[in-house]
Amino acid sequence: MTERIHPTNSPPSSGEAPQPPPTSSRTSSAEAPQPPLTSPRAAGSPVPGTYVIQIPKDTIYRHPPPENARRYEKKIARQEPRRSSCCCRVFCWTLGVLALVVFLLAAAAGILYLVFRPEAPKYSIEEIAISGFNLTSPSAISPEFDVTVRAQNPNDKIGIYYGKGSSVSVYYSDVNLCNGNLPAFYQPSNNVTVFQTALKGSNILLTSAVNAALASEQKQGEVPFSIRMKVPVKIKFGAVKTWTITVKVTCEVAVDGLTTSSKIVSSDCKKSLKIW
């Protein structure tokens, strides 16, 4: 925006003295009143010989005076410590709440352990009936395993819910031979449950090396298999039932032959729990 400059009462040029008003010849110099050297000016009018410059308001707002800038900086400096202290208080409160929750959970777990004295369930393979093997032919086979599993709950005050979605697989030298699942049931405390599951495989093609190894081990009367079970369970503590926990059981079993009347030579089962 352009600035407007208004000259008022321009001063006389240099070298020229202001001429006094003419006086009457009839009045003497002593009696005639002397006029004032300068004319009286109204209140608020600019001083003669000065300039009035009008500055837009937005320019004044964009460029505050230095004293206002210093006040603003002091105000910001006072507010920053307050914000940082507020953030520190929120962070400390959050840590305190988390620590309290962890402490309460640990205390509850300790009380449950002291009251119920939980023990892990025990599993074993009781019998295995095998069919569908033909080691004299290189064609694909469809093996079948009828596995009898023994599950023991040794706890006095804890029940176990075996849910749906379990899986059982039989492996030989990392070759998956057949698959199946376990039944869903509830096992009360101090209970032993024996159940049978049928596992079936289809179009399993074994290499000549695997066929030769199976034939040799059958002659020796000790054929090793790995039976892997994955079972979702829920633990019942009195009237409280936990979330779903996955129980993984791996049994290394050796049988004397590949027949329906085969007998177990050795068996070793190991288990692990996946709580989350």
Side-chain angles (χ1 to χ4, degrees):
M1 297 178 65
T2 60
E3 300 177 354
R4 296 180 181 178
I5 301 175
H6 302 276
T8 59
N9 296 335
S10 300
S13 61
S14 61
E16 295 181 358
Q19 299 295 329
T23 58
S24 175
S25 59
R26 296 179 180 180
T27 58
S28 63
S29 60
E31 296 177 357
Q34 298 295 329
L37 297 178
T38 58
S39 59
R41 59 187 181 91
S45 63
V47 179
T50 61
Y51 294 89
V52 177
I53 302 175
Q54 295 182 355
I55 302 176
K57 292 183 178 181
D58 56 351
T59 305
I60 298 176
Y61 295 152
R62 286 199 301 267
H63 303 282
E67 58 272 11
N68 291 350
R70 286 193 294 270
R71 292 176 183 175
Y72 179 75
E73 292 176 356
K74 291 181 180 179
K75 183 178 180 181
I76 294 298
R78 288 195 300 267
Q79 290 179 354
E80 288 180 354
R82 295 178 181 176
R83 293 177 182 177
S84 59
S85 61
C86 181
C87 293
C88 290
R89 286 196 297 269
V90 172
F91 182 71
C92 292
W93 274 104
T94 303
L95 287 182
V97 171
L98 290 177
L100 179 61
V101 171
V102 172
F103 174 77
L104 293 177
L105 291 177
I111 293 173
L112 289 176
Y113 179 81
L114 293 176
V115 172
F116 293 97
R117 298 287 181 176
E119 296 183 35
K122 301 177 182 179
Y123 303 94
S124 61
I125 305 299
E126 298 295 310
E127 295 180 1
I128 299 179
I130 304 173
S131 61
F133 280 90
N134 185 5
L135 303 180
T136 59
S137 174
S139 59
I141 61 175
S142 298
E144 295 183 6
F145 281 67
D146 289 335
V147 181
T148 302
V149 182
R150 182 178 185 269
Q152 179 183 1
N153 180 11
N155 295 279
D156 296 330
K157 302 177 182 180
I158 297 176
I160 303 175
Y161 287 92
Y162 290 84
K164 298 179 180 180
S166 62
S167 62
V168 184
S169 303
V170 177
Y171 286 82
Y172 175 80
S173 296
D174 293 332
V175 178
N176 188 3
L177 298 176
C178 53
N179 301 282
N181 50 46
L182 300 176
F185 64 95
Y186 171 72
Q187 187 177 28
S189 59
N190 290 321
N191 176 264
V192 175
T193 301
V194 179
F195 51 88
Q196 191 178 52
T197 178
L199 312 177
K200 296 181 179 181
S202 178
N203 296 324
I204 306 299
L205 185 61
L206 303 178
T207 63
S208 57
V210 172
N211 276 333
L214 282 172
S216 175
E217 290 167 346
Q218 186 174 15
K219 289 181 180 180
Q220 296 176 4
E222 188 173 351
V223 184
F225 293 103
S226 178
I227 301 176
R228 305 173 187 177
M229 296 179 285
K230 184 183 296 183
V231 188
V233 301
K234 290 184 179 181
I235 310 300
K236 181 182 178 183
F237 295 92
V240 178
K241 188 188 302 184
T242 66
W243 58 91
T244 300
I245 300 173
T246 302
V247 178
K248 296 181 180 181
V249 183
T250 301
C251 296
E252 304 296 337
V253 182
V255 296
D256 60 353
L258 302 176
T259 62
T260 55
S261 59
S262 61
K263 298 185 180 301
I264 296 176
V265 178
S266 63
S267 177
D268 181 26
C269 294
K270 296 180 180 180
K271 58 185 174 298
S272 62
L273 299 178
K274 185 178 180 182
I275 299 179
W276 306 106

